[in-house]
Amino acid sequence: MIVSLDWKERNVLIVGWGRQGKRIAQSYEREGARVVYKDLDFKWSDVEGMDLVVACTSDPDFNHALVEYVNERRIFSQSVDLDEKASLHRMHSLDLDRFSLAYSTKGAFPMFYRAFDPWIENEFRANWERRLLDLSLLRPHLIGDKKALAYLLELSKEQLDWLVRLLDKKKGIVVLFAKSSVDLSCLQKHLRENMAAFYMEEKFEELFSVCRLLSISLVVQPMFLFEGYLYYQCLKLPVSCLPLLFDEKLWRRIVAPFDEANAIFVLHPTRDHAFQKKIEHFVQKGQVCECVDPLPLKRNQINVVVPLFMLEGKHVQDLKRKVEKARKKGLRVVVPFWCLFELEIVQDRLREVDA
């Protein structure tokens, strides 16, 4: 167990006045300790009245004997040899406002902190400082519920920021996407302050439980393209679920600008081609195909491939490879966008959603 001890106005005896002894003595002096130095003039009786004795000589056997002698008298002991019998092992410490870290290389390379400290500080400032602040603001509302507190640690920086904002607003919108490899932080920047992006695979029971404890009411905006399995699973969630964002009106606005004879609308496969049939209802001139099928490209025209995927995930990466392969064969292929979420009309429609 690592503990932080206050050495202010405590009596510390340094035995051994070499380079290490001087360095250790200076560190305790900076903490306000009353430091006494002994070297060749040391007597065993000098330990009496001390709160800590540090063995700093160049003789490991003497240092070990001093540690045992001090321990018998119930005085804190420390040794430059990292004696396992010593009651105290001094560690390098790093203080970053709300975050303090103590560590040791166990004598392997004492100067390691010169490289490690800057790396730790950069990592903390970039990825953990804001998260720790948010956790400190949420914790008072959840003290006593270990499950709720543990769940907070699973949330991203953006999701934690959202929860903190909702402490005042009390209403929020979960923007729910199907599973994807896209980083949620890339989506969050397009959402309003009362919205947070989540994937369907996340632990929603815990989220709703935390929000109940915080007196926050939630609604879910499903970002699915089709009323399939995921949508009906979403309807089973214990909060209000809004209709699909991609209604008939939005689909017509998306499809119409590209609906020409040279257009190929590509979408993910569904059972019985149900999604393909739905899109074919809005397409008058172009072709509609699933991403698992070959692209019906023609050499005598400019082919306009229109991906109908929500995010730039696996299906889009596969489509990019197909397009690149076709271009290498000399076919002319134009792709106006790679995913629907990057379209301004989709983002505008999402911003209109109200909790």
Side-chain angles (χ1 to χ4, degrees):
M1 179 176 65
I2 299 174
V3 297
S4 178
L5 300 178
D6 182 7
W7 296 104
K8 188 176 182 180
E9 298 184 0
R10 299 289 184 177
N11 298 318
V12 176
L13 173 62
I14 306 295
V15 181
W17 197 230
R19 187 175 60 181
Q20 290 195 79
K22 292 178 181 178
R23 177 175 55 82
I24 293 172
Q26 289 170 356
S27 70
Y28 281 112
E29 287 177 331
R30 285 194 295 269
E31 295 183 28
R34 293 190 291 263
V35 179
V36 178
Y37 314 97
K38 292 290 180 177
D39 197 59
L40 298 177
D41 58 340
F42 168 75
K43 301 186 297 294
W44 293 99
S45 59
D46 289 334
V47 306
E48 301 302 330
M50 293 295 159
D51 298 298
L52 168 66
V53 176
V54 186
C56 298
T57 77
S58 58
D59 184 347
D61 292 334
F62 174 81
N63 290 341
H64 179 71
L66 180 56
V67 164
E68 291 194 325
Y69 183 80
V70 168
N71 287 346
E72 290 173 359
R73 284 150 182 78
R74 298 186 180 276
I75 300 171
F76 279 116
S77 61
Q78 180 184 346
S79 172
V80 293
D81 300 316
L82 299 176
D83 193 320
E84 62 180 16
K85 294 292 183 67
S87 56
L88 188 149
H89 297 279
R90 190 79 171 181
M91 293 189 173
H92 174 76
S93 62
L94 178 63
D95 189 4
L96 300 173
D97 304 323
R98 291 180 177 82
F99 177 70
S100 294
L101 175 69
Y103 64 89
S104 169
T105 63
K106 297 184 177 181
F109 201 91
M111 292 176 60
F112 183 69
Y113 71 92
R114 294 190 182 183
F116 195 54
D117 278 11
W119 181 83
I120 284 288
E121 181 166 5
N122 290 337
E123 178 71 15
F124 177 73
R125 301 296 186 198
N127 299 310
W128 293 97
E129 185 172 30
R130 179 69 192 192
R131 185 176 295 184
L132 182 56
L133 173 60
D134 287 344
L135 289 169
S136 71
L137 295 172
L138 293 167
R139 180 176 175 267
H141 304 275
L142 303 172
I143 288 178
D145 193 322
K146 291 184 178 181
K147 187 176 181 181
L149 292 170
Y151 173 70
L152 294 182
L153 297 174
E154 300 181 23
L155 298 178
S156 67
K157 291 185 297 183
E158 294 76 18
Q159 291 166 341
L160 283 172
D161 282 345
W162 169 72
L163 273 182
V164 170
R165 292 194 297 270
L166 296 187
L167 288 175
D168 292 327
K169 297 179 181 296
K170 296 301 181 185
K171 289 185 178 181
I173 300 174
V174 174
V175 182
L176 192 56
F177 295 86
K179 182 179 179 180
S180 174
S181 58
V182 177
D183 190 334
L184 284 173
S185 62
C186 298
L187 310 178
Q188 190 65 40
K189 61 185 179 183
H190 298 294
L191 304 180
R192 295 204 319 261
E193 282 197 345
N194 67 334
M195 295 178 168
F198 286 82
Y199 285 135
M200 190 67 184
E201 61 188 3
E202 299 190 53
K203 299 177 181 178
F204 287 104
E205 289 298 330
E206 285 86 345
L207 173 63
F208 301 142
S209 175
V210 164
C211 287
R212 283 193 294 269
L213 293 171
L214 298 175
S215 300
I216 294 171
S217 63
L218 295 178
V219 297
V220 174
Q221 174 59 68
M223 296 296 288
F224 311 135
L225 303 179
F226 180 68
E227 294 179 350
Y229 173 78
L230 287 180
Y231 177 69
Y232 289 107
Q233 288 296 110
C234 187
L235 293 178
K236 296 178 182 179
L237 296 174
V239 292
S240 298
C241 184
L242 300 173
L244 287 180
L245 191 76
F246 286 76
D247 54 16
E248 182 172 331
K249 181 179 179 181
L250 183 56
W251 274 123
R252 291 188 184 282
R253 290 181 64 194
I254 292 171
V255 169
F258 308 103
D259 189 13
E260 300 293 341
N262 61 339
I264 303 169
F265 296 90
V266 185
L267 40 79
H268 64 80
T270 54
R271 182 181 296 179
D272 300 325
H273 308 288
F275 185 31
Q276 180 177 349
K277 292 174 182 177
K278 178 177 180 176
I279 298 303
E280 285 173 343
H281 177 70
F282 306 118
V283 175
Q284 303 300 317
K285 301 176 183 178
Q287 299 181 69
V288 181
C289 72
E290 294 181 340
C291 60
V292 293
D293 299 326
L295 289 175
L297 303 172
K298 297 180 180 178
R299 287 195 170 274
N300 60 347
Q301 67 179 23
I302 298 176
N303 300 276
V304 179
V305 174
V306 185
L308 299 184
F309 306 107
M310 176 60 71
L311 302 175
E312 198 169 322
K314 179 180 179 299
H315 290 316
V316 171
Q317 301 308 316
D318 292 342
L319 181 59
K320 284 183 176 182
R321 285 189 284 270
K322 287 184 179 180
V323 169
E324 184 61 26
K325 187 176 181 180
R327 286 170 175 168
K328 287 181 178 179
K329 291 182 177 180
L331 280 80
R332 292 177 292 173
V333 184
V334 173
V335 183
F337 58 85
W338 285 109
C339 69
L340 294 168
F341 192 70
E342 70 184 49
L343 297 180
E344 195 64 35
I345 57 172
V346 173
Q347 294 176 17
D348 287 344
R349 176 70 185 88
L350 184 57
R351 283 189 281 266
E352 295 171 1
V353 173
D354 194 358

